[in-house]
Amino acid sequence: MANPLDTDAGSELFSSYEAELKLVQADLSQKLDQITELSGEERKSAVRLAERTLEEAKELLDQMRIERSNIPSAARSKINQRFRNFESDIDAAKRKLKTLADDRKALFGNRYSDNPSTDDQLEQRQQLLSGTERLDRSSHRLRNAQITANETEDIGRDTLADLQIQRETIVHTRERMLESEGYVDRSVKTLRGMSRR
Protein backbone atom coordinates (compact mmCIF):
# COMPACT_ATOMS: atom_id res chain seq x y z
CA MET A 1 0.00 0.00 0.00
CA ALA A 2 1.46 3.37 -1.08
CA ASN A 3 1.97 6.20 1.36
CA PRO A 4 -0.04 9.25 0.14
CA LEU A 5 2.92 11.49 0.98
CA ASP A 6 5.51 9.64 -1.07
CA THR A 7 6.96 11.24 -4.20
CA ASP A 8 4.78 9.46 -6.76
CA ALA A 9 1.47 10.12 -5.00
CA GLY A 10 2.35 13.80 -4.28
CA SER A 11 3.62 14.29 -7.81
CA GLU A 12 0.54 12.59 -9.19
CA LEU A 13 -1.88 14.93 -7.41
CA PHE A 14 0.26 17.92 -8.32
CA SER A 15 0.27 16.73 -11.95
CA SER A 16 -3.52 16.45 -11.99
CA TYR A 17 -3.82 20.04 -10.73
CA GLU A 18 -1.21 21.05 -13.28
CA ALA A 19 -3.18 19.44 -16.13
CA GLU A 20 -6.38 21.13 -14.97
CA LEU A 21 -4.58 24.48 -14.69
CA LYS A 22 -3.29 24.14 -18.26
CA LEU A 23 -6.88 23.71 -19.48
CA VAL A 24 -8.04 26.72 -17.46
CA GLN A 25 -5.10 28.76 -18.79
CA ALA A 26 -6.01 27.87 -22.37
CA ASP A 27 -9.61 28.87 -21.70
CA LEU A 28 -8.48 32.13 -20.07
CA SER A 29 -6.16 32.92 -22.97
CA GLN A 30 -8.97 32.35 -25.44
CA LYS A 31 -11.32 34.60 -23.44
CA LEU A 32 -8.70 37.35 -23.24
CA ASP A 33 -8.22 37.19 -27.02
CA GLN A 34 -12.00 37.45 -27.56
CA ILE A 35 -12.27 40.52 -25.31
CA THR A 36 -10.08 42.57 -27.65
CA GLU A 37 -12.61 42.06 -30.46
CA LEU A 38 -15.66 43.10 -28.41
CA SER A 39 -17.08 46.39 -27.15
CA GLY A 40 -19.92 47.68 -24.98
CA GLU A 41 -22.05 45.22 -23.01
CA GLU A 42 -20.57 42.17 -24.78
CA ARG A 43 -17.12 43.26 -23.69
CA LYS A 44 -18.23 43.81 -20.07
CA SER A 45 -19.78 40.35 -20.03
CA ALA A 46 -16.63 38.79 -21.51
CA VAL A 47 -14.48 40.59 -18.91
CA ARG A 48 -16.64 39.16 -16.11
CA LEU A 49 -16.30 35.64 -17.55
CA ALA A 50 -12.53 36.06 -17.82
CA GLU A 51 -12.39 37.30 -14.21
CA ARG A 52 -14.19 34.13 -13.06
CA THR A 53 -11.79 31.95 -15.05
CA LEU A 54 -8.84 33.84 -13.54
CA GLU A 55 -10.23 33.16 -10.05
CA GLU A 56 -10.48 29.48 -10.91
CA ALA A 57 -6.84 29.51 -12.05
CA LYS A 58 -5.79 31.18 -8.78
CA GLU A 59 -7.63 28.53 -6.77
CA LEU A 60 -5.82 25.79 -8.69
CA LEU A 61 -2.50 27.55 -8.03
CA ASP A 62 -3.33 27.60 -4.31
CA GLN A 63 -4.07 23.85 -4.41
CA MET A 64 -0.77 23.28 -6.22
CA ARG A 65 1.07 25.37 -3.61
CA ILE A 66 -0.39 23.20 -0.83
CA GLU A 67 0.43 19.99 -2.70
CA ARG A 68 3.95 21.20 -3.53
CA SER A 69 4.74 21.43 0.17
CA ASN A 70 3.85 17.71 0.54
CA ILE A 71 6.37 16.61 -2.09
CA PRO A 72 9.79 15.56 -0.77
CA SER A 73 12.49 18.14 -1.31
CA ALA A 74 14.49 15.88 -3.67
CA ALA A 75 11.75 16.07 -6.32
CA ARG A 76 10.62 19.57 -5.45
CA SER A 77 13.16 21.57 -7.52
CA LYS A 78 11.63 20.66 -10.91
CA ILE A 79 8.14 21.21 -9.54
CA ASN A 80 9.14 24.59 -8.07
CA GLN A 81 10.30 25.78 -11.48
CA ARG A 82 7.06 24.67 -13.17
CA PHE A 83 5.04 26.28 -10.36
CA ARG A 84 6.90 29.60 -10.74
CA ASN A 85 6.22 29.50 -14.49
CA PHE A 86 2.51 29.00 -13.83
CA GLU A 87 2.48 31.85 -11.31
CA SER A 88 4.20 34.10 -13.82
CA ASP A 89 1.71 33.17 -16.56
CA ILE A 90 -1.28 33.80 -14.28
CA ASP A 91 0.15 37.17 -13.20
CA ALA A 92 0.63 38.14 -16.85
CA ALA A 93 -2.96 37.12 -17.63
CA LYS A 94 -4.16 39.14 -14.62
CA ARG A 95 -2.31 42.25 -15.85
CA LYS A 96 -3.66 41.80 -19.38
CA LEU A 97 -7.21 41.42 -18.06
CA LYS A 98 -6.82 44.55 -15.93
CA THR A 99 -5.63 46.48 -18.99
CA LEU A 100 -8.56 45.21 -21.06
CA ALA A 101 -11.04 45.96 -18.27
CA ASP A 102 -9.68 49.50 -17.81
CA ASP A 103 -10.02 50.38 -21.51
CA ARG A 104 -12.95 52.81 -21.24
CA LYS A 105 -13.22 53.46 -24.95
CA ALA A 106 -13.66 49.77 -25.68
CA LEU A 107 -16.03 49.24 -22.74
CA PHE A 108 -18.27 52.21 -23.48
CA GLY A 109 -17.64 52.62 -27.20
CA ASN A 110 -16.86 55.94 -28.85
CA ARG A 111 -19.88 57.57 -27.23
CA TYR A 112 -18.14 58.81 -24.10
CA SER A 113 -14.94 60.70 -23.61
CA ASP A 114 -13.49 62.93 -20.92
CA ASN A 115 -12.46 65.46 -23.56
CA PRO A 116 -15.16 65.61 -26.21
CA SER A 117 -13.78 66.42 -29.63
CA THR A 118 -16.61 65.82 -32.09
CA ASP A 119 -19.90 67.67 -32.37
CA ASP A 120 -21.80 64.50 -31.45
CA GLN A 121 -19.82 64.06 -28.26
CA LEU A 122 -20.23 67.73 -27.40
CA GLU A 123 -23.97 67.53 -28.04
CA GLN A 124 -24.22 64.38 -25.93
CA ARG A 125 -22.35 66.04 -23.08
CA GLN A 126 -24.65 69.07 -23.32
CA GLN A 127 -27.69 66.79 -23.20
CA LEU A 128 -26.31 65.02 -20.14
CA LEU A 129 -25.57 68.32 -18.40
CA SER A 130 -29.01 69.64 -19.32
CA GLY A 131 -30.65 66.48 -18.00
CA THR A 132 -28.67 66.76 -14.78
CA GLU A 133 -29.73 70.40 -14.33
CA ARG A 134 -33.39 69.48 -14.90
CA LEU A 135 -33.07 66.69 -12.38
CA ASP A 136 -31.54 69.10 -9.85
CA ARG A 137 -34.34 71.63 -10.40
CA SER A 138 -36.97 68.91 -10.03
CA SER A 139 -35.32 67.70 -6.83
CA HIS A 140 -35.29 71.26 -5.50
CA ARG A 141 -39.00 71.71 -6.33
CA LEU A 142 -39.78 68.40 -4.64
CA ARG A 143 -37.91 69.49 -1.51
CA ASN A 144 -39.83 72.79 -1.49
CA ALA A 145 -43.14 70.97 -1.96
CA GLN A 146 -42.25 68.66 0.95
CA ILE A 147 -41.45 71.66 3.15
CA THR A 148 -44.74 73.32 2.17
CA ALA A 149 -46.65 70.09 2.86
CA ASN A 150 -45.03 69.82 6.29
CA GLU A 151 -45.87 73.45 7.10
CA THR A 152 -49.48 72.94 5.92
CA GLU A 153 -49.72 69.85 8.10
CA ASP A 154 -48.48 71.85 11.11
CA ILE A 155 -51.02 74.62 10.41
CA GLY A 156 -53.80 72.03 10.05
CA ARG A 157 -52.78 70.41 13.34
CA ASP A 158 -52.79 73.81 15.08
CA THR A 159 -56.17 74.68 13.56
CA LEU A 160 -57.64 71.38 14.75
CA ALA A 161 -56.31 72.04 18.24
CA ASP A 162 -57.85 75.56 18.20
CA LEU A 163 -61.16 74.17 16.95
CA GLN A 164 -61.14 71.57 19.75
CA ILE A 165 -60.58 74.32 22.32
CA GLN A 166 -63.36 76.44 20.78
CA ARG A 167 -65.71 73.42 20.75
CA GLU A 168 -65.03 72.81 24.42
CA THR A 169 -65.67 76.52 25.13
CA ILE A 170 -68.96 76.43 23.19
CA VAL A 171 -70.06 73.24 24.98
CA HIS A 172 -69.13 74.78 28.33
CA THR A 173 -70.95 78.04 27.46
CA ARG A 174 -74.05 76.10 26.39
CA GLU A 175 -74.05 74.18 29.65
CA ARG A 176 -73.76 77.50 31.57
CA MET A 177 -76.53 78.98 29.48
CA LEU A 178 -78.82 76.02 30.22
CA GLU A 179 -77.92 76.33 33.87
CA SER A 180 -78.63 80.08 33.76
CA GLU A 181 -81.96 79.38 32.03
CA GLY A 182 -82.84 77.09 34.91
CA TYR A 183 -82.02 79.87 37.38
CA VAL A 184 -84.09 82.37 35.37
CA ASP A 185 -87.06 79.97 35.33
CA ARG A 186 -86.81 79.55 39.11
CA SER A 187 -86.48 83.30 39.54
CA VAL A 188 -89.56 83.91 37.42
CA LYS A 189 -91.52 81.36 39.43
CA THR A 190 -90.32 82.96 42.63
CA LEU A 191 -91.30 86.42 41.41
CA ARG A 192 -94.75 85.21 40.33
CA GLY A 193 -95.23 83.59 43.68
CA MET A 194 -94.23 86.83 45.39
CA SER A 195 -96.56 88.93 43.23
CA ARG A 196 -99.59 86.77 44.13
CA ARG A 197 -99.09 87.35 47.78
Side-chain angles (χ1 to χ4, degrees), residues 16-103:
S16 72
Y17 287 137
E18 185 177 19
E20 194 174 343
L21 182 60
K22 285 179 182 177
L23 292 173
V24 171
Q25 271 186 304
D27 185 33
L28 180 60
S29 179
Q30 182 182 9
K31 285 178 178 162
L32 291 174
D33 291 340
Q34 287 174 347
I35 290 173
T36 58
E37 300 166 7
L38 301 173
S39 65
E41 287 301 318
E42 291 176 340
R43 185 180 182 102
K44 288 182 206 174
S45 178
V47 165
R48 283 192 294 271
L49 285 173
E51 285 171 343
R52 283 190 213 118
T53 306
L54 181 63
E55 285 303 314
E56 187 179 346
K58 287 179 184 177
E59 287 174 13
L60 284 168
L61 266 179
D62 289 341
Q63 291 296 324
M64 289 170 72
R65 183 176 291 112
I66 292 168
E67 203 50 47
R68 180 183 65 166
S69 65
N70 293 333
I71 296 174
S73 56
R76 205 179 292 167
S77 62
K78 276 197 275 183
I79 286 178
N80 279 341
Q81 182 56 44
R82 290 194 326 239
F83 183 78
R84 281 193 296 274
N85 288 341
F86 283 125
E87 275 187 319
S88 175
D89 292 345
I90 297 299
D91 283 343
K94 182 180 176 182
R95 284 192 302 277
K96 183 175 181 181
L97 179 59
K98 183 170 177 15
T99 302
L100 292 170
D102 289 344
D103 187 358

Side-chain angles (χ1 to χ4, degrees), residues 28 117 142 171:
L28 180 60
S117 55
L142 264 172
V171 167

